[in-house]
């Protein structure tokens, strides 16, 4: 996730909290209760967002990890393309022996 994405999401959460406050006031809650409920919902949203991030970190499903994997795959593909047919046959025989 890029910095601009984080800033955009943060602003959306901030303005969403203000909107929640106005919605709670519109449905009849007083200012204090509307503030408490909007803050409680914002805390739940932020905790869910943080837990989803921690889940992606734990599963190594981050952009950096994906970039490394893509780079390694590209290097291996390039090495395979550069191999001669003899080398490819030899490699295939080695793989078959291991299995």
């Amino acid at each position: 996730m890029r910095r601009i994405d984080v800033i955009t999401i943060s602003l959306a959460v901030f303005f969403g909290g203000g909107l929640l406050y106005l919605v709670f006031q519109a449905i009849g809650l007083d200012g204090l209760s509307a503030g408490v409920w909007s803050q409680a919902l914002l805390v739940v949203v932020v905790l869910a967002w943080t837990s989803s991030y921690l889940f992606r970190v734990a599963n190594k499903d981050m952009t950096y990890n994906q970039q490394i994997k893509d780079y390694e795959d590209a290097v291996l593909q390039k090495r395979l393309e550069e191999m001669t047919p003899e080398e490819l046959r030899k490699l295939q025989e080695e793989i078959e022996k291991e299995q």
Side-chain angles (χ1 to χ4, degrees):
M1 185 177 293
R2 301 172 304 172
R3 283 188 200 134
I4 190 69
D5 297 334
V6 173
I7 291 170
T8 303
I9 292 170
S10 299
L11 287 174
V13 167
F14 177 74
F15 288 117
L19 184 62
L20 277 174
Y21 176 78
L22 294 175
V23 167
F24 284 135
Q25 277 193 326
I27 62 174
L29 292 176
D30 60 25
L32 184 62
S33 296
V36 168
W37 280 107
S38 63
Q39 286 179 10
L41 285 175
L42 279 175
V43 167
V44 169
V45 167
V46 169
L47 287 175
W49 181 25
T50 304
S51 65
S52 73
Y53 176 78
L54 293 175
F55 180 76
R56 288 187 296 124
V57 168
N59 288 331
K60 295 185 179 181
D61 189 23
M62 304 296 293
T63 303
Y64 176 72
N65 294 28
Q66 187 63 41
Q67 288 173 343
I68 288 175
K69 183 182 177 303
D70 291 344
Y71 174 76
E72 289 171 349
D73 291 345
V75 167
L76 288 174
Q77 183 64 35
K78 184 166 177 82
R79 285 183 185 170
L80 279 174
E81 289 171 358
E82 291 174 351
M83 293 178 87
T84 64
E86 280 181 6
E87 292 172 329
L88 285 172
R89 275 194 300 271
K90 185 177 178 182
L91 180 62
Q92 187 175 4
E93 288 173 3
E94 289 177 11
I95 292 173
E96 289 173 356
K97 286 179 185 178
E98 289 178 8
Q99 292 177 353

